[in-house]
Amino acid sequence: MPVSVKLPNEFQGIYKHIFKSNPEKGTMQLVIHELRRRLAEYRLMEKKLHNKYNMAFEEFKSKKMVEESGHSFEVEEDFCDWELALDGIDTINDELKKIAKYT
């Protein structure tokens, strides 16, 4: 499905300067860069939580750390963030595999 975007004049010159390519290739680059940025963000979140608890998520889950903490808000929030990060990593890796031929 073709996507058509009309950029304001201020963006057109910047777009041409940054990508030095046609709009289709430039847009594909934007999508790839955004996926990689999000992947880095999720990996950073996963690493932060791994270091905070000094264990992998599966161990965190199997040790029932949420229950052990008395269901503290912080630990429950970390559980949700960690799960989100791992799901995000898997999802984005799958998306990047689908478009690998364009990179």
Side-chain angles (χ1 to χ4, degrees), residues 3-37:
V3 175
S4 177
V5 177
K6 181 163 174 39
L7 292 173
N9 290 334
E10 297 84 359
F11 283 87
Q12 290 179 22
I14 296 168
Y15 186 95
K16 288 177 188 174
H17 177 72
I18 291 173
F19 295 107
K20 296 178 179 45
S21 65
N22 66 46
E24 291 80 16
K25 286 185 181 181
T27 302
M28 288 189 292
Q29 285 179 335
L30 281 172
V31 170
I32 291 166
H33 288 297
E34 178 59 17
L35 286 171
R36 288 179 178 161
R37 185 198 64 76

Side-chain angles (χ1 to χ4, degrees), residues 2 18 32 34 52 71-72 75:
I18 291 173
I32 291 166
E34 178 59 17
K52 179 177 180 177
H71 292 272
S72 81
V75 178

Side-chain angles (χ1 to χ4, degrees), residues 41-62:
E41 188 177 314
Y42 286 135
R43 285 180 175 160
L44 184 62
M45 184 187 305
E46 195 280 328
K47 183 177 181 177
K48 178 183 147 205
L49 291 165
H50 185 279
N51 291 342
K52 179 177 180 177
Y53 293 97
N54 199 29
M55 64 181 78
F57 181 69
E58 287 305 317
E59 184 180 358
F60 181 87
K61 231 168 50 170
S62 70

Side-chain angles (χ1 to χ4, degrees), residues 92-103:
I92 290 175
N93 279 328
D94 289 345
E95 294 296 325
L96 287 170
K97 285 177 189 171
K98 289 179 193 175
I99 61 174
K101 64 184 175 188
Y102 300 104
T103 59

